[in-house]
């Protein structure tokens, strides 16, 4: 952007910078091209409105030092979080988008300048509230023996990683003293909303709006024992990775298509899959994987279907969806199609089925089941209460870790800042509680591979039976949101897009059905086969994501008399920058009508 000549002009909005018309036009066209490559249009059919929007977007690029590609990436995050309808960028969205950019810049400054504190209304609320009571509560704890930087509270999930750390010989004792027992903590939590089984959010009562951490912990104490089975098929700890070959990639994709074709045939709803690439005027049924023709995002003109080697020698054919009034597609999705191919080059689809038939009721292999608690019974009255804590715990994006400003190993930070607090948690609640830790590819102390093996730790005997380690997390919701295209019948209102994306996970019977994965996802195909497969329909599906947190009751097949209902939730992130985030308290019952959930903001 060195060639842009900056010129001041009035009147203009505060904080805006203008550029000369000749210098601006090439960059405006670059911005337009970036938005169109992502599937968005600017201003619709009105050229005047489009020109005004492009001028404003150009100003955003200059003021916030962004390239057009960075601007579009920020727009996609804003678009997904606000769950906007349609793919047209209108002028009414610009003010909200500007606020989003300002917040992003503020967060970036905070990460870069760790000693800088930007004051907000939260600071005013803190000063006006009864903070003295909270301070007195902390003065009674051992944590005040050590000085805290910037007045940080002593019960944060991950204490700020500063360089003035104790030596390794004093590390265990020092970190142990800094843990405040749960029964003595007084930080407040705010209950954002309560959701029932009909996806209706209700505002909590005045007494429920704020509660202390101790009250939240007491509320989740299990009153009955139950049997909980954690189904896991992740790679074993210590497995080799980064050894996948082209053959592994081919076998993974071929197995998905072939297995799905077998399930379609076994369902009795359709015949044996045929070769969709053969020219025929007769109607036929075929199964294959949705592929994008070329680089860029999927669109209605670039949809290809890749068949299995068994039925079509792995060849691809273009799909014509003009006769299908409703669909939701993304690359890597396995679908069944009905139609004909009159020319041999294009398959005209009359019916599309994006849901692989019901899960096989066969029992899982014994090695893939772990009985967390073998006592109790399974009835509709028994409610399972478990703490599921999902990474990243030692976030590789943490500014102190990026700078290399910590003087202890990531493993030590995890042991003393995370596991010791979990040990305190389990001791406070007793032997009934179960804790499941799920690592993330962003965990600096764990293997950077997907699918990811569980943590391999030597725990004290008194908590070994209480803390269990699950499989990897990946932001599949955010990835699918950027790749999915859909069509609805004319006149129909926009549906729940996030809910639709969630159901794709179970319809495809895969924790990560998207292919190819976005850049930065360390997908190892030598480990993926079987590890990413959802072998049986879960009652609760956890999908941690950077998108807005939610809890939803969803159905796999609304057309059936008794559709399979399941609970899907994104609890959000426990910490966001220097502030608190969100978590979900779920009171689960086998009867979803008796299930409730609360989204709680820290």
């Amino acid at each position: 952007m060195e060639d842009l000549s900056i010129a001041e002009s009035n009147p203009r909005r505060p904080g805006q910078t203008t550029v000369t018309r000749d210098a601006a036009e090439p960059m405006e066209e670059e911005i337009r091209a970036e938005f169109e490559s992502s599937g968005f249009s600017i201003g619709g059919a009105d050229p005047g409105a489009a020109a005004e929007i492009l001028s404003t977007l150009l100003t955003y690029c200059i003021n916030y030092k962004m390239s057009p590609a960075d601007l579009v990436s920020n727009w996609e995050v804003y678009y997904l979080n606000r769950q906007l309808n349609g793919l047209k960028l209108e002028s009414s969205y610009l003010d909200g988008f500007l606020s989003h950019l300002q917040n992003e810049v503020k967060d970036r400054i905070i990460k870069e300048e760790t000693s800088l504190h930007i004051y907000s209304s939260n600071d005013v609320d803190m000063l006006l509230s009864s903070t003295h009571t909270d301070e007195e509560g902390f003065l009674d704890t051992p944590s005040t023996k050590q000085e805290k930087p910037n007045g940080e509270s002593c019960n944060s999930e991950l204490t700020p990683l500063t360089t003035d750390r104790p030596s390794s010989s004093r590390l265990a004792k020092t970190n142990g003293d800094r843990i405040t027992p749960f029964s003595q903590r007084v930080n407040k939590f705010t209950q954002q909303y309560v959701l029932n089984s009909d996806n209706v959010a209700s505002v909590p009562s005045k007494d429920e709006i704020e509660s202390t951490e101790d009250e939240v912990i007491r509320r989740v104490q299990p009153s009955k024992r139950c049997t909980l089975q954690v189904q896991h098929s992740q790679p074993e700890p210590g497995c080799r990775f980064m050894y996948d070959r082209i053959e592994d990639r081919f076998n993974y994709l071929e197995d998905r298509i072939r297995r799905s074709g077998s399930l379609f045939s076994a369902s009795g709803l359709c015949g044996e899959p045929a070769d969709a690439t053969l020219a025929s005027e007769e109607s036929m049924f075929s199964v294959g994987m949705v592929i994008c023709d070329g680089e860029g995002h999927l669109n209605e003109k670039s949809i290809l279907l890749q068949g299995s080697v068994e039925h079509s020698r792995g060849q691809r054919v273009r799909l014509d969806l003009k006769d299908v009034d409703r669909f939701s597609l993304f690359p890597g999705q396995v679908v069944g199609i009905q139609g004909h191919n009159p020319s041999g080059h294009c398959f005209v689809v009359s019916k599309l089925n994006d849901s692989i038939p019901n899960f096989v009721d066969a029992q899982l292999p014994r090695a893939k089941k772990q009985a967390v608690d073998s006592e109790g019974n399974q009835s509709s009255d028994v409610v399972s209460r478990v703490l599921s804590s999902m990474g990243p715990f030692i976030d590789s994006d943490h500014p102190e870790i990026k700078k290399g400003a910590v003087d202890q190993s990531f493993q030590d930070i995890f042991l003393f800042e995370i596991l010791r607090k979990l040990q305190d948690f389990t001791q406070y609640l007793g032997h009934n509680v179960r804790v499941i830790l799920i690592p993330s590819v962003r965990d600096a102390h764990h293997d950077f591979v997907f699918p990811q093996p569980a943590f391999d730790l030597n725990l004290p005997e008194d908590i070994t039976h209480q803390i269990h380690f699950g499989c990897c997390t990946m932001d599949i919701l955010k990835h699918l949101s950027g790749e999915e295209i859909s069509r609805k019948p004319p006149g129909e209102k926009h549906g729940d897009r996030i809910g639709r994306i969630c159901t794709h996970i179970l319809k495809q019977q895969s924790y990560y059905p998207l292919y190819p994965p976005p850049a930065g996802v360390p997908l190892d195909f030598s480990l993926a086969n079987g590890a990413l497969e959802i072998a049986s329909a879960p009652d609760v599906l956890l999908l941690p994501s950077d998108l807005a947190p939610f809890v939803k009751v969803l159905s796999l097949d609304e057309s059936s008399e008794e559709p399979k209902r399941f609970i899907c939730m994104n609890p959000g992130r426990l910490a966001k920058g220097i502030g608190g985030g969100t978590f979900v308290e779920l009171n689960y019952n086998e009867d979803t009508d008796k299930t409730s959930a609360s989204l709680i903001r820290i």
Side-chain angles (χ1 to χ4, degrees):
M1 294 190 296
E2 291 86 348
D3 295 333
L4 296 178
S5 57
I6 308 298
E8 297 291 337
S9 62
N10 289 305
R12 61 184 176 90
R13 301 171 74 176
Q16 280 191 329
T17 305
T18 60
V19 297
T20 60
R21 188 72 249 166
D22 292 341
E25 286 181 355
M27 191 169 181
E28 287 182 355
E29 288 304 315
E30 186 177 353
I31 293 173
R32 183 197 296 273
E34 286 289 342
F35 273 93
E36 290 178 350
S37 67
S38 297
F40 296 98
S41 62
I42 297 179
D46 185 0
E52 182 179 352
I53 294 174
L54 281 172
S55 177
T56 305
L57 294 176
L58 174 62
T59 303
Y60 293 170
C61 283
I62 296 172
N63 287 350
Y64 298 108
K65 299 178 180 179
M66 291 183 178
S67 66
D70 293 335
L71 184 72
V72 174
S73 297
N74 276 277
W75 165 254
E76 288 179 338
V77 173
Y78 174 75
Y79 172 85
L80 294 173
N81 283 335
R82 293 295 300 271
Q83 300 185 27
L84 301 178
N85 295 327
L87 296 175
K88 183 171 67 173
L89 197 163
E90 300 177 352
S91 58
S92 58
Y93 297 151
L94 292 179
D95 288 339
F97 184 40
L98 175 61
S99 299
H100 169 78
L101 292 177
Q102 291 170 342
N103 290 332
E104 289 293 317
V105 171
K106 182 179 73 173
D107 291 342
R108 186 173 70 236
I109 292 175
I110 291 174
K111 288 182 179 180
E112 294 173 353
E113 302 291 339
T114 55
S115 60
L116 177 66
H117 178 75
I118 298 180
Y119 286 88
S120 65
S121 59
N122 294 332
D123 297 281
V124 178
D125 294 339
M126 178 185 68
L127 294 173
L128 295 179
S129 62
S130 56
T131 54
H132 300 290
T133 304
D134 294 347
E135 291 170 0
E136 291 173 0
F138 283 113
L139 290 175
D140 294 333
T141 68
S143 62
T144 55
K145 296 178 182 179
Q146 297 192 15
E147 182 179 354
K148 300 285 182 181
N150 297 331
E152 290 285 342
S153 62
C154 58
N155 65 331
S156 59
E157 183 68 20
L158 178 59
T159 331
L161 306 176
T162 56
T163 55
D164 52 342
R165 288 287 182 177
S167 62
S168 299
S169 61
R170 296 162 40 223
L171 192 58
K173 183 177 184 304
T174 304
N175 283 280
D177 291 342
R178 196 162 59 229
I179 296 176
T180 306
F182 280 95
S183 58
Q184 301 179 27
R185 300 184 183 178
V186 294
N187 275 14
K188 293 182 177 180
F189 292 78
T190 301
Q191 189 165 336
Q192 189 165 346
Y193 65 77
V194 181
L195 193 78
N196 59 23
S197 60
D198 296 323
N199 287 334
V200 178
S202 60
V203 179
S205 62
K206 184 177 181 180
D207 295 335
E208 296 175 325
I209 289 179
E210 287 190 350
S211 58
T212 65
E213 180 178 355
D214 186 37
E215 290 170 350
V216 172
I217 298 299
R218 291 182 188 277
R219 195 164 66 221
V220 301
Q221 277 194 297
S223 58
K224 296 181 180 180
R225 299 196 59 145
C226 62
T227 297
L228 175 71
Q229 289 185 334
V230 180
Q231 299 175 359
H232 60 94
S233 57
Q234 81 282 346
E236 295 299 323
C239 66
R240 297 198 335 162
F241 55 92
M242 294 181 65
Y243 288 93
D244 59 335
R245 304 160 296 173
I246 297 296
E247 181 183 355
D248 296 319
R249 184 185 300 254
F250 167 79
N251 288 336
Y252 172 72
L253 299 177
E254 176 67 15
D255 287 348
R256 279 192 61 200
I257 301 173
R258 188 170 52 201
R259 175 180 174 273
S260 301
S262 299
L263 290 175
F264 273 111
S265 299
S267 68
L269 301 177
C270 50
E272 188 71 18
D275 184 0
T277 65
L278 297 180
S280 175
E281 290 290 348
E282 296 183 0
S283 178
M284 69 177 78
F285 175 79
S286 185
V287 176
M289 179 176 290
V290 174
I291 300 293
C292 181
D293 183 14
E295 300 293 334
H297 291 279
L298 193 69
N299 59 65
E300 293 188 23
K301 302 296 184 181
S302 64
I303 302 175
L304 302 179
L305 186 80
Q306 176 175 315
S308 66
V309 173
E310 178 184 2
H311 293 106
S312 63
R313 306 168 303 285
Q315 294 186 6
R316 300 175 178 180
V317 65
R318 189 173 302 279
L319 296 185
D320 184 350
L321 299 174
K322 63 181 180 182
D323 297 331
V324 181
D325 61 353
R326 183 195 304 276
F327 63 79
S328 173
L329 300 174
F330 59 87
Q333 182 182 23
V334 179
V335 297
I337 56 173
Q338 189 78 33
H340 63 286
N341 187 349
S343 64
H345 303 289
C346 182
F347 191 98
V348 181
V349 182
S350 59
K351 184 179 179 181
L352 186 147
N353 189 344
D354 63 355
S355 179
I356 299 173
N358 292 335
F359 294 91
V360 180
D361 293 330
Q363 293 291 326
L364 286 177
R366 190 176 186 84
K368 293 187 179 181
K369 284 190 174 182
Q370 176 182 9
V372 177
D373 189 354
S374 60
E375 298 184 20
N377 53 33
Q378 293 182 345
S379 67
S380 59
D381 294 328
V382 177
V383 179
S384 174
R385 297 182 182 271
V386 179
L387 170 64
S388 295
S389 188
M390 297 172 284
F393 300 97
I394 312 300
D395 195 347
S396 57
D397 290 336
H398 193 288
E400 295 297 317
I401 290 180
K402 282 186 172 181
K403 294 177 183 177
V406 294
D407 60 357
Q408 56 181 305
S409 69
F410 300 146
Q411 193 70 19
D412 284 343
I413 298 174
F414 180 70
L415 288 174
F416 296 114
E417 298 291 351
I418 304 298
L419 288 186
R420 285 292 301 274
K421 293 179 181 180
L422 288 175
Q423 183 178 6
D424 178 36
F425 170 78
T426 56
Q427 289 175 347
Y428 177 73
L429 289 182
H431 293 289
N432 287 336
V433 69
R434 295 294 179 267
V435 177
I436 300 175
L437 297 185
I438 306 176
S440 166
V441 293
R442 282 167 49 185
D443 274 311
H445 67 300
H446 199 44
D447 298 333
F448 183 69
V449 63
F450 180 71
Q452 198 171 23
F455 290 127
D456 186 14
L457 299 172
N458 296 319
L459 295 176
E461 292 183 2
D462 58 336
I463 60 172
T464 299
H465 73 287
Q466 288 184 270
I467 300 182
H468 303 272
F469 303 101
C471 60
C472 180
T473 57
M474 182 61 69
D475 199 344
I476 181 61
L477 289 183
K478 187 174 181 180
H479 297 166
L480 281 182
S481 297
E483 298 292 342
E484 183 228 26
I485 63 169
S486 63
R487 178 193 293 170
K488 61 179 182 62
E492 182 179 299
K493 295 182 179 179
H494 290 280
D496 180 8
R497 184 168 186 260
I498 294 297
R500 182 176 69 240
I501 292 174
C502 293
T503 59
H504 280 313
I505 308 297
L506 293 190
K507 286 181 176 181
Q508 292 293 296
Q509 302 179 19
S510 171
Y511 287 109
Y512 201 87
L514 181 65
Y515 177 82
V521 176
L523 181 56
D524 190 317
F525 289 94
S526 66
L527 304 176
N529 210 347
L532 299 181
E533 178 185 334
I534 303 179
S536 61
D539 299 305
V540 179
L541 183 62
L542 294 176
L543 297 175
S545 173
D546 289 330
L547 301 182
F550 64 83
V551 181
K552 296 178 181 292
V553 179
L554 302 172
S555 299
L556 281 180
D557 187 5
E558 294 287 355
S559 60
S560 63
E561 296 181 359
E562 296 182 0
K564 165 65 179 177
R565 303 180 76 190
F566 68 98
I567 296 170
C568 184
M569 56 186 182
N570 167 26
R573 304 299 185 187
L574 199 62
K576 293 185 176 180
I578 62 173
T582 58
F583 66 93
V584 169
E585 178 190 356
L586 176 68
N587 295 311
Y588 176 75
N589 193 288
E590 289 178 347
D591 183 359
T592 54
D593 292 332
K594 298 179 182 178
T595 298
S596 64
S598 300
L599 179 62
I600 301 176
R601 187 173 300 278
I602 302 176

